[in-house]
Amino acid sequence: MKEKISELIYEALSSITKDTGITKEDVMEYIEIPPQKEMGDMAFPCFRLAKALRMAPPAIAEKLCDLIPAKDFLKNVGTSGGYLNFFINKEALASGILSRLQEKKEYGTSDVGKGQTICIDYSSPNVAKNFHVGHLRTTTIGNALYHIFKKQGYDVVRINYLGDWGTQFGKLIVAYKKWGSEELVKEKGIEELMSLYVRFHEEAETDPSLEDEARSWFAKMEQNDQEALSIWQWFLDISLKEFMRIYDILGVSFDSYNGESFYNDKMAPAIEELKEKGLLKEDNGAQIVDLSDYDMPPCLVLKKDGSTLYATRDIAAAIYRKKTYDFTKCIYVTGLEQKLHFSQWFKVIELMGYDWYKGLVHVPYGMVSLPGGKMSSRKGQVIFAEDILKEAIDKTADIIEEKNPTLPHKEEVAKAVGVGAVVFSNLYTQRIKDVVFDWDKLLSFDGETGPYVQYTHARCCSIISKSGDAPATPIPSALSDDPALDLMKELDRYEEVIKDAADKYEPSIVARYSMAVAQAFNKFYHEDQILTEETDVKGSRLFLTKVTEEILRDSLAVLGLEAPEQM
Ligand code: ARG
């Protein structure tokens, strides 16, 4: 509609003068949605034309108004001051949207990504450390991006780049050998490994020789020492088991679990290549890539003792992924604090002469905290993501018990809604912003929450099931009232929303959209009786209910939420 209207304006404008310097696209951009209904459905401000036409804006509006021909989709064109106001024929609008909604097979899909591959590196928790709420954020954002790109037709490779290599394992082995017990590690898992790690740091303050011991154990790992590797493998297995439990609760999975250790034998060739390309420089015995020309500290590639670093592994992994998957884009979802790390090694890839560095994308997110302060694993003030998810499920179960004790499949619903609440609150905020967990807000059924959207979806299901076999065939004249039209405009936006979310790597756009659809539906539901006697009206409203149900279910799935049919 906007396009059609801008065409009319542009033609009218061109008939006055050819050289306004304003394009059809500009016109489209200037069009506004007026704040009040009396000013029409769309408005065109004439102020910017004043100079080119050497006329006052109200006179321009009048002149353009006279020049715009009658069209079936326009009920009326008028002016108010310097604005040209368009009143749309609602039935025509409804009919245009309806035909699109009826035509589309799978809402929100497109094939812009056909034949292209995107790798997403997300979640990627560190072995022997807790899966904290920050990891919950990368996991939910990454999972949503996976679904978003899938809907655009891309092949998407989900990569869990486990933090399973590095000097911290040397420390852990020392601590375990000195103070650990097999039983306790078996019993308490990651929690025990973490306290060993904390103990290491405490003791190392008074006994610095521990640091040397740790370094030498890590060196042994890098040299394939069997004892070192078997302890490491054990820690890895324990951690993976705990991570899998969380992925299971969240319903997420991965195509590859190749973590940092997978690149052990792939770093030497990468380092060799850096050397050949003349990029390595010695600095106090260490090997670095100088990035001072780019206003960045150097990228550390090899330590003095010859051991590799986080950046070394990322460089090797990127080269491997390009060879293996031939990605168009490789996306990394991590906390904002890793921004410099990614800028540095992306630059190194560019300096290596690889044009595909352009496809490397860092997608950062803000901090997560609980009311009462931030979390720090150093201070032992640890919050496990699993505990939060379980608490959310329990709290939801209590609410169900109180409000709807006879609900079938109570436990499954409690899980879907409790987990959904946490996931949704993670995604509803723009990813770069910090999030604070607030239990009451999170679980409320009438705020801007996951449960609210899920509840609206369940409402659609209930209406559909009450309608029996009534046909859901729409006619435009039955849907040209405001609540119906407002809902239809939202439903019509889904594909555009997915595109916008993909372009900005921003799942919150989809979360906000699902909320807008739910709100528009509830308004429609309260103002327009859906299951009425009039067959045409009922069939039309039922059709909208079905499309709403589908789009809500699908957008929730994109975000990683289930959509129970009853709540
Ligand atoms: N393991 C890291 C962490 O927990 C995240 C890894 C991100 N991916 C990467 N390729 N560097 O902070």
Side-chain angles (χ1 to χ4, degrees):
M1 205 50 83
K2 205 169 167 182
E3 212 175 307
K4 281 189 189 169
I5 289 178
S6 13
E7 241 156 65
L8 291 180
I9 301 172
Y10 185 74
E11 258 153 48
L13 197 57
S14 314
S15 73
I16 306 177
T17 167
K18 289 273 173 248
D19 43 29
T20 51
I22 287 167
T23 66
K24 212 184 280 181
E25 286 69 36
D26 293 335
V27 171
M28 184 137 152
E29 215 171 277
Y30 296 163
I31 291 181
E32 295 170 5
I33 309 286
Q36 274 138 19
K37 286 214 157 54
E38 303 76 64
M39 297 170 170
D41 302 289
M42 284 183 205
F44 179 72
C46 300
F47 308 97
R48 289 191 231 203
L49 301 173
K51 212 169 165 192
L53 297 181
R54 268 184 261 139
M55 275 163 84
I60 301 174
E62 290 294 341
K63 183 139 196 183
L64 286 175
C65 188
D66 290 342
L67 287 167
I68 287 175
K71 288 275 171 192
D72 59 352
F73 61 86
L74 285 179
K75 208 166 70 194
N76 187 25
V77 186
T79 65
S80 63
Y83 285 94
L84 191 55
N85 296 335
F86 294 84
F87 296 83
I88 289 162
N89 178 341
K90 295 193 172 158
E91 204 173 312
L93 184 58
S95 147
I97 299 179
L98 265 185
S99 60
R100 278 194 294 279
L101 291 177
Q102 282 177 296
E103 217 172 86
K104 190 87 187 170
K105 292 274 172 314
E106 285 169 69
Y107 294 114
T109 54
S110 67
D111 55 11
V112 294
K114 219 169 147 194
Q116 295 179 64
T117 299
I118 290 187
C119 293
I120 314 183
D121 174 320
Y122 63 106
S123 194
S124 310
N126 296 323
V127 166
K129 293 225 177 118
N130 69 322
F131 192 105
H132 53 68
V133 284
H135 288 122
L136 205 53
R137 225 170 162 203
T138 151
T139 308
T140 53
I141 293 172
N143 182 54
L145 291 177
Y146 159 71
H147 289 295
I148 289 167
F149 287 115
K150 266 286 202 216
K151 283 190 82 77
Q152 291 200 306
Y154 288 96
D155 282 322
V156 189
V157 189
R158 297 164 294 179
I159 303 177
N160 194 332
Y161 182 70
L162 295 167
D164 58 2
W165 206 251
T167 37
Q168 73 270 27
F169 291 97
K171 298 176 184 174
L172 210 53
I173 293 175
V174 171
Y176 174 69
K177 286 179 95 52
K178 288 202 190 308
W179 314 295
S181 103
E182 192 177 334
E183 287 71 49
L184 264 185
V185 173
K186 276 193 178 142
E187 189 195 314
K188 290 169 82 189
I190 290 181
E191 208 185 319
E192 177 61 16
L193 295 178
M194 285 182 67
S195 51
L196 285 171
Y197 192 67
V198 170
R199 171 120 186 229
F200 178 91
H201 284 281
E202 282 164 8
E203 305 258 354
E205 265 178 36
T206 48
D207 179 4
S209 76
L210 286 173
E211 297 279 0
D212 296 325
E213 257 182 83
R215 254 190 295 277
S216 88
W217 272 105
F218 179 57
K220 280 191 193 173
M221 280 170 57
E222 297 229 65
Q223 288 146 19
N224 250 325
D225 175 86
Q226 276 323 296
E227 188 190 358
L229 285 182
S230 78
I231 304 178
W232 165 80
Q233 182 68 49
W234 182 44
F235 294 164
L236 181 61
D237 293 342
I238 288 172
S239 307
L240 267 179
K241 220 165 91 194
E242 291 192 30
F243 297 157
M244 288 304 174
R245 270 203 320 261
I246 297 172
Y247 295 141
D248 209 47
I249 299 177
L250 290 172
V252 305
S253 46
F254 296 88
D255 303 301
S256 161
Y257 287 90
N258 287 341
E260 296 187 38
S261 69
F262 178 79
Y263 297 95
N264 281 343
D265 59 349
K266 296 166 187 66
M267 282 182 284
I271 295 166
E272 199 46 47
E273 197 181 324
L274 284 167
K275 212 176 279 168
E276 274 165 25
K277 293 183 171 162
L279 293 166
L280 282 191
K281 240 184 166 172
E282 203 188 301
D283 182 53
N284 272 325
Q287 296 290 328
I288 60 159
V289 178
D290 182 11
L291 299 174
S292 54
D293 282 352
Y294 312 97
D295 284 330
M296 283 188 276
C299 181
L300 204 52
V301 173
L302 275 179
K303 283 196 201 162
K304 227 183 357 219
D305 63 5
S307 56
T308 58
L309 291 109
Y310 188 41
T312 328
R313 288 186 279 282
D314 258 328
I315 292 168
I319 295 173
Y320 172 86
R321 287 175 192 169
K322 182 64 193 175
K323 273 196 199 122
T324 311
Y325 304 112
D326 192 24
F327 58 72
T328 316
K329 276 181 188 165
C330 186
I331 297 169
Y332 298 82
V333 187
T334 80
L336 181 60
E337 68 281 358
Q338 296 195 32
K339 187 173 188 251
L340 177 64
H341 163 74
F342 285 99
S343 312
Q344 284 177 308
W345 76 258
F346 286 180
K347 189 47 107 181
V348 174
I349 297 283
E350 180 184 350
L351 294 174
M352 287 172 95
Y354 289 126
D355 197 43
W356 50 263
Y357 81 91
K358 290 179 190 135
L360 301 172
V361 186
H362 182 218
V363 173
Y365 57 83
M367 290 234 268
V368 194
S369 56
L370 286 148
K374 299 208 174 84
M375 288 154 280
S376 139
S377 57
R378 286 263 163 87
K379 289 189 200 125
Q381 192 197 352
V382 215
I383 287 117
F384 286 75
E386 195 173 358
D387 294 337
I388 290 197
L389 292 170
K390 284 191 173 150
E391 197 170 334
I393 298 172
D394 289 347
K395 282 183 195 274
T396 310
D398 291 345
I399 298 176
I400 293 175
E401 215 44 67
E402 188 195 309
K403 293 196 172 160
N404 193 1
T406 58
L407 178 75
H409 313 293
K410 272 192 277 194
E411 272 160 43
E412 278 139 69
V413 176
K415 179 175 173 275
V417 176
V419 172
V422 175
V423 172
F424 197 86
S425 83
N426 249 294
L427 296 175
Y428 196 62
T429 314
Q430 237 182 52
R431 65 176 157 72
I432 206 68
K433 298 209 175 122
D434 295 348
V435 212
V436 182
F437 267 90
D438 179 338
W439 283 117
D440 293 331
K441 259 198 207 152
L442 205 92
L443 292 172
S444 135
F445 280 51
D446 44 39
E448 294 180 13
T449 64
Y452 173 82
V453 181
Q454 286 172 318
Y455 186 75
T456 309
H457 168 266
R459 172 173 276 166
C460 293
C461 291
S462 140
I463 296 165
I464 294 164
S465 85
K466 273 192 209 132
S467 74
D469 287 331
T473 22
I475 50 166
S477 61
L479 295 171
S480 36
D481 61 296
D482 283 344
L485 261 181
D486 288 344
L487 173 60
M488 285 166 78
K489 283 184 201 159
E490 288 296 346
L491 297 174
D492 195 28
R493 254 176 3 106
Y494 192 27
E495 188 179 324
E496 202 183 299
V497 163
I498 291 289
K499 183 182 179 305
D500 197 25
D503 291 347
K504 297 180 177 138
Y505 310 102
E506 187 62 80
S508 68
I509 293 174
V510 179
R512 304 236 158 214
Y513 172 72
S514 72
M515 180 61 59
V517 171
Q519 285 167 342
F521 179 80
N522 284 323
K523 192 140 185 267
F524 167 71
Y525 168 83
H526 288 297
E527 288 181 30
D528 294 351
Q529 195 192 346
I530 296 171
L531 302 177
T532 66
E533 296 297 315
E534 288 165 82
T535 332
D536 277 354
V537 178
K538 179 170 162 182
S540 300
R541 293 182 179 163
L542 211 48
F543 173 79
L544 281 201
T545 308
K546 286 195 170 169
V547 178
T548 305
E549 188 275 329
E550 244 182 273
I551 289 187
L552 284 181
R553 180 166 27 91
D554 193 78
S555 55
L556 285 170
V558 164
L559 299 168
L561 276 80
E562 286 177 56
E565 286 180 18
Q566 278 184 303
M567 268 172 72

